[in-house]
Amino acid sequence: MKAGAVPRQERVSAVNEFLSALVSIMFHGLAYAMILYVVSVGLSVTMGLMGFANLAHGVFAMAGGYVAISLMSRLGLSFGPAVVLAVLVVAAASVVLERLLYARLYGAGEIEQVLFTIGLIFMSIAAAKFMFGSSQQELVLPAALRGEVSILGRMFPTYRAFIIVTGAIIALGLWLGLERSQFGARVRAAVDNRRMARSVGIDTDRLFSLTFALGSGLAALGGALGGELLTIHPAYAIEHLVYFLTVVAVGGLGSIRGPFLAAVLLGVGDTACKYLLPDIGAFFIYFALFGLLLWRPAGLFGRA
Amino acid sequence: MFVYRSAATISPVDYMVCSHRLRWPELLPWVAIIAAYFAFPSYLALGAQVMIMVLFALSLDLVLGYAGIVTLGHAAFFGVGAYTAGILAVHGWEEAITALPVAAAVAGAVGLVTGYIILRTRGLTLLMLTLAVASMLGEAANKANWLTGGADGLQGITLRPLLGVFHFDLFGRTAFVYCALVLFAGWVFVRRLVHAPFGRSLTGIRENAARMHAIGAPVRQRQIIVYTIAAALAGVAGALEAQTTQFVGLNVLSFDLSGAVLIMLIFGGVGRLYGAFVGAPLYMVAQDALSRLDPEYWFFWVGLLLVVTVMFARGGILGVADLLRRKVMR
């Protein structure tokens, strides 16, 4: 063998290492993306439907996380029922909030909506701190979701695989549900032209409440399921606000597919850059954001 | 959207001609500031902080109140100004007054570049981009440890006496007068600006951008210009903060600060030039009182106050005062 040549075995292992890093980035990135998607898609729909700048959307995700975790730790429920119950509780609470407060501001200016929702965020931070303390809440996973699972000869963390599968199912369900059902047709009609929708007899007020509940419920689901990726703590809603809004803005308001694509792009890109370039990787999301929105100001699937 | 000074009682032409004339209530803030200097000699440091926030809120009023651009990231420019002044001082530029225009220029340049990029968008996307600019700069300041001191903050700011005579004393007397004079200059500038044709066209853009387009006003260009001006002014406020506290921490670029200045302006009243003068002191006093009453959960009450203001008192304090005055006059 000539001096300086890399032995074949080492070359193979280097390639292997690179591949496994790539697969692992894809995998972690996708899991992250799914959480971002599930939390943000509701925001996209309510934003497109009602034109409401609801910065407090993350509060519902945080609430979902808190409710699920305390149902498990204090009432001893198991993971599945706790998450389902948390989604229902948050969705129900969100309807009350929507009818009592949000609905009064539908016609108001953007600044009022922004301030109102910032006020809600402040209150939620204080309330969460008061009820659960300022430390992070640990999501105790059931045994079935701990450990690793083997897919195509590689080992993957079961929890993340579960998140990816669940996220994909939800995305598919939402897409089918809003494309194929009458409810979906009404929602799309109201997004396109609210006054026209109202004049052909669609009860837009009820539609708003329903979609708001759906969006908040999904956020709660994302918050509860993703509790280990985006840890639940009082400042949750502010800390992840940029990410949630980015997914919505890049995806395009009122779209279902847009946030999915945006979440995958940003989740995988963010994970990859933070892993490969630890020093400057955190800036990826901003450059992606500015680049994409310069190219398409209304988002990937948005109507200009 | 907002409630403005009532023009209903006089003819529009008279309103346009007279509105820039100085009326006596406009001097009240300055009387208050001079009185505060003599009445509260032990609170002068706090007074300087308040005036810095007033200047900051005033710059936000230009963007939000007059041009109608909703921003969640105005702290970006405050922070850039603060870091500029701080870094200059640490590296030997210890003259405070000449550092102000430099801070204004750097913050203005950041405003120009980001404004050029983000002002193509509208509504929620614009909102999010303003937030993104601020949090990107915050991240950058955090990472650039060698320049900004990172999470520990920028320490070791020393300044030469102002004009070679006035030392920055322990009681904050110099700082107070210095901030008051800069604020006064800022106020004169902003007041002239909003009553100038340029300011009028901003109001037009806020009220109806499509019509302003139709009459041939360069809408986007005007928005970028006012965004740049406001950024420069916020940069001056940030520079004052760095100089008077002799410390710059990452919080100058935080969402909390962007939110706080927004809240100050809303509490005071948006688009009326004096909302900043009412809102900023009130917010800071309220924050001080609340955080003493309830140190852990005081922002719950700020949040509640915000929700109540939005629900019941849209025009802020000055708006409610106007409403009451009109009711009494009738």
Side-chain angles (χ1 to χ4, degrees):
Chain A
M1 193 193 288
K2 272 185 237 168
V6 182
R8 192 167 170 274
Q9 245 173 340
E10 268 181 39
R11 248 184 299 157
V12 170
S13 77
V15 168
N16 244 343
E17 222 164 78
F18 177 71
L19 267 182
S20 75
L22 212 62
V23 170
S24 142
I25 287 172
M26 277 302 289
F27 194 76
H28 285 82
L30 273 180
Y32 182 39
M34 289 307 148
I35 296 301
L36 279 183
Y37 170 71
V38 174
V39 173
S40 309
V41 66
L43 184 61
S44 173
V45 174
T46 49
M47 206 86 89
L49 193 58
M50 299 165 230
F52 196 99
N54 183 14
L55 302 185
H57 190 70
V59 171
F60 297 116
M62 178 182 79
Y66 272 122
V67 173
I69 287 168
S70 34
L71 282 176
M72 284 192 288
S73 63
R74 296 188 193 176
L75 298 182
L77 258 65
S78 56
F79 186 69
V83 170
V84 173
L85 207 59
V87 169
L88 293 179
V89 168
V90 172
S94 78
V95 174
V96 177
L97 268 182
E98 196 262 349
R99 280 295 98 196
L100 282 181
L101 298 174
Y102 281 83
R104 288 159 180 250
L105 290 174
Y106 282 154
E110 203 175 36
I111 182 73
E112 277 87 12
Q113 302 176 344
V114 164
L115 287 162
F116 166 69
T117 49
I118 288 181
L120 282 188
I121 292 181
F122 280 4
M123 288 161 77
S124 82
I125 293 176
K129 226 177 176 181
F130 179 71
M131 285 191 280
F132 303 98
S134 48
S135 57
Q136 296 188 347
Q137 298 286 309
E138 201 191 342
L139 180 69
V140 183
L141 293 170
L145 288 181
R146 271 177 256 159
E148 298 193 316
V149 61
S150 154
I151 303 168
L152 298 174
R154 282 179 195 278
M155 300 302 284
F156 291 104
T158 316
Y159 171 67
R160 286 184 163 75
F162 167 72
I163 297 275
I164 294 175
V165 172
T166 318
I169 291 173
I170 290 170
L172 195 69
L174 272 181
W175 181 67
L176 283 179
L178 288 178
E179 292 286 320
R180 300 290 158 88
S181 72
Q182 205 185 23
F183 174 71
R186 285 200 189 119
V187 171
R188 278 180 293 134
V191 169
D192 276 348
N193 191 334
R194 192 187 335 165
R195 290 171 67 190
M196 194 63 202
R198 199 176 283 175
S199 67
V200 298
I202 296 174
D203 183 354
T204 47
D205 282 351
R206 238 191 79 207
L207 200 66
F208 286 177
S209 294
L210 278 175
T211 36
F212 196 83
L214 182 69
S216 313
L218 281 170
L221 181 66
L225 286 182
E228 208 177 274
L229 286 171
L230 305 182
T231 42
I232 302 294
H233 61 112
Y236 184 94
I238 280 193
E239 199 176 299
H240 304 297
L241 181 62
V242 176
Y243 283 78
F244 299 151
L245 287 178
T246 303
V247 168
V248 173
V250 168
L253 300 188
S255 145
I256 299 291
R257 282 171 301 167
F260 186 77
L261 194 62
V264 170
L265 259 170
L266 296 173
V268 174
D270 194 52
T271 310
C273 290
K274 278 184 178 156
Y275 178 84
L276 298 172
L277 309 161
D279 283 336
I280 52 169
F283 293 103
F284 164 79
I285 183 157
Y286 302 112
F287 289 120
L289 178 62
F290 292 130
L292 279 170
L293 288 173
L294 271 180
W295 173 47
R296 302 198 63 148
L300 293 172
F301 287 91
R303 274 169 282 250
Chain B
M1 183 167 157
F2 306 120
V3 187
Y4 296 97
R5 271 180 303 258
S6 156
T9 47
I10 51 174
S11 85
V13 176
D14 285 346
Y15 174 73
M16 291 298 268
V17 172
C18 298
S19 65
H20 67 279
R21 282 198 196 132
L22 196 71
R23 286 162 303 153
W24 67 266
E26 300 190 62
L27 295 174
L28 281 181
W30 309 106
V31 174
I33 286 172
I34 294 168
Y37 179 79
F38 293 107
F40 305 108
S42 49
Y43 287 97
L44 291 183
L46 179 69
Q49 280 326 102
V50 170
M51 285 189 284
I52 290 169
M53 282 299 137
V54 170
L55 185 61
F56 186 30
L58 195 61
S59 76
L60 180 65
D61 205 12
L62 266 184
V63 191
L64 177 70
Y66 287 92
I69 302 167
V70 182
T71 167
L72 280 179
H74 205 51
F77 310 117
F78 186 86
V80 168
Y83 273 113
T84 306
I87 290 165
L88 280 179
V90 168
H91 288 83
W93 187 320
E94 294 178 350
E95 163 55 48
I97 296 173
T98 48
L100 291 184
V102 181
V106 176
V110 174
L112 181 65
V113 172
T114 57
Y116 182 78
I117 296 174
I118 68 177
L119 286 172
R120 303 159 190 262
T121 59
R122 276 176 301 135
L124 177 90
T125 310
L126 176 58
L127 201 71
M128 191 268 306
L129 286 175
T130 56
L131 181 64
V133 167
S135 66
M136 181 172 80
L137 289 172
E139 186 75 41
N142 187 21
K143 285 271 153 71
N145 229 323
W146 52 275
L147 186 66
T148 61
D152 295 333
L154 188 65
Q155 281 155 355
I157 297 174
T158 48
L159 293 170
R160 255 179 280 161
L162 280 181
L163 303 171
V165 179
F166 303 103
H167 289 271
F168 281 96
D169 53 313
L170 208 59
F171 306 102
R173 260 184 241 129
T174 309
F176 187 92
V177 176
Y178 176 46
C179 289
L181 290 176
V182 176
L183 176 61
F184 185 75
W187 169 74
V188 170
F189 172 72
V190 172
R191 194 175 180 283
R192 287 212 61 136
L193 191 72
V194 299
H195 289 307
F198 176 78
R200 298 275 185 229
S201 74
L202 290 181
T203 313
I205 291 169
R206 178 194 67 207
E207 292 300 317
N208 196 331
R211 267 192 206 172
M212 288 303 280
H213 264 304
I215 64 167
V219 169
R220 205 169 95 81
Q221 189 207 68
R222 296 259 158 95
Q223 284 179 325
I224 292 174
I225 291 174
V226 74
Y227 199 70
T228 306
I229 293 174
L233 209 58
V236 172
L240 286 179
E241 163 98 2
Q243 290 172 347
T244 52
T245 59
Q246 310 201 334
F247 174 79
V248 185
L250 281 177
N251 66 309
V252 294
L253 285 164
S254 65
F255 175 74
D256 294 3
L257 186 61
S258 298
V261 70
L262 201 58
I263 296 168
M264 289 176 202
L265 190 59
I266 297 304
F267 280 168
V270 184
R272 11 174 94 249
L273 206 58
Y274 295 95
F277 288 87
V278 176
L282 209 82
Y283 179 85
M284 293 187 74
V285 169
Q287 180 188 342
D288 192 57
L290 284 174
S291 60
R292 214 171 300 156
L293 278 175
D294 192 351
E296 216 168 339
Y297 308 111
W298 63 270
F299 45 86
F300 179 86
W301 306 108
V302 174
L304 188 65
L305 205 57
L306 205 52
V307 170
V308 171
T309 309
V310 172
M311 287 289 168
F312 303 109
R314 294 263 172 94
I317 291 167
L318 290 183
V320 172
D322 258 5
L323 214 67
L324 290 177
R325 205 184 57 201
R326 245 174 285 149
K327 279 215 172 130
V328 171
M329 301 265 255
R330 199 169 288 157

